[in-house]
Structures are given as structure tokens and as C-alpha cells.
Amino acid sequence: MNRRESLKMLMAASGGLLALPAWAGQWHVDDLATHASSFVAAEQAMLAAVVDTILPQGVVVGGLSVGVDKFLQKLFDHCYDATVQANIKTQLAKLEASASAKYGQPFSACAQYEREALLMAFAHSADASEKEFFTLVKAETIRGFSTSREVMTNYLEYKTAPGHYYGCVDVNA
């Protein structure tokens, strides 16, 4: 065995172990906020209002409190192609325009039942792009909420390694 090579490997492993806590820490909603989104501020606010309409703040937790709006921005930017992103942005603008036309105020300022009515109009629309927008945003909002860390651990009681290990147990024969 070559002692120099062994010392080099030992030093590299030690450096890796020192750096481990820096990159293996848990992520939080604040980590998602640093993402440079392709959505402008108005579109981000609209997306947050849509998330709040689909999953409003209830007794315990809502879609905005676990960061589903930030999750959707990152998901749409990284996982969907430009045509889907363009359709989302177009439909958000249409949703804002229909809220202004029907209720005389922006979508985010409308009451919960008014926002629900506007979204249900998109869900039952004859226009395929509006229906696709609603279906995609609703599905991804629910997925983002149900797979968030807070919901998984606190409400769905998800455990990474289920069961418990009992190391030294007397065995009665």
C-alpha cells in the first residue's frame, strides 16, 4: 500500500466530511425565493392568488404558507417548455382581465367566491388553452402542497425510514 496515496485520500475524505453539513442541510421555503424566475412580479402575484384560491389558508396550513407558489414558479421554469410557459403567462393575463371586466377589481382583490367563479369559468371553458391552464395549475398546486415537507411530516405523518430499530434486544428462546 502506498502511504502517500492513502494520506491524500484520507485528506480528501476529511475535506468532504467538513463540507457535508454545508450542502446537506434541509431546504426551506426561503431557498426557493432565491430562484430567478421568468415570471414578472405581476405574474408571480397572480400565481400566488391562484394558489391561494385553490388551497386557501385553513385552520392549520394553506398553499401559500408552505410555499406552493414559489414551487410552481420553479417547476414551470425548469420542467415545462416555452410553449407551456407562454400559455400560463397568457392565461394569467386573461384571468386578470376577466376579473377586472366582471368585478371591476384585480383578481387578487376579489373575494374567495369570486376568484373561484373565475377559475371555474376557465375549467369549463370551450377554449382548450384555458382548460389546459386550469388543469395544469390545479394539478401541480395539489402536488406541490401534498409533497411539501411540512404537510408530509406534520399532517400525513410520513417517515423516511418507517419502523424502529431495536439494536440490543434479548432474545428469549
Side-chain angles (χ1 to χ4, degrees):
M1 176 177 230
N2 189 350
R3 186 183 310 175
R4 287 185 183 177
E5 289 298 319
S6 298
L7 287 174
K8 284 181 188 178
M9 290 178 61
L10 182 65
M11 294 304 288
S14 299
L17 287 175
L18 289 175
L20 182 66
W23 64 267
Q26 298 176 358
W27 65 271
H28 300 295
V29 176
D30 299 334
D31 296 338
L32 294 174
T34 61
H35 165 67
S37 178
S38 67
F39 293 96
V40 297
E43 293 167 342
Q44 290 177 6
M46 274 294 296
L47 197 57
V50 170
V51 168
D52 192 39
T53 304
I54 295 172
L55 292 170
Q57 181 71 29
V59 175
V60 190
V61 66
L64 292 180
S65 62
V66 295
V68 175
D69 56 329
K70 305 290 189 232
F71 167 78
L72 288 180
Q73 290 173 28
K74 197 166 190 177
L75 178 75
F76 293 148
D77 282 341
H78 291 287
C79 299
Y80 287 95
D81 61 353
T83 57
V84 175
Q85 291 175 9
N87 183 40
I88 290 169
K89 292 176 182 184
T90 302
Q91 299 309 321
L92 286 173
K94 273 182 160 179
L95 189 60
E96 182 72 24
S98 64
S100 296
K102 191 168 184 178
Y103 299 112
Q105 56 188 353
F107 182 79
S108 59
C110 292
Q112 178 72 18
Y113 69 92
E114 294 170 340
R115 292 187 293 180
E116 288 173 3
L118 289 167
L119 284 176
M120 290 310 292
F122 271 51
H124 301 298
S125 174
D127 186 9
S129 60
E130 290 179 359
K131 193 176 271 192
E132 288 172 6
F133 162 75
F134 177 76
T135 304
L136 175 69
V137 171
K138 179 183 171 191
E140 294 299 347
T141 299
I142 293 170
R143 182 175 76 139
F145 179 77
S146 61
T147 59
S148 68
R149 179 177 303 225
E150 183 177 349
V151 172
M152 294 279 294
T153 57
N154 296 341
Y155 303 105
L156 299 178
E157 298 177 9
Y158 174 80
K159 293 183 181 13
T160 305
H164 185 74
Y165 174 71
Y166 298 101
C168 296
V169 177
D170 294 332
V171 178
N172 296 330

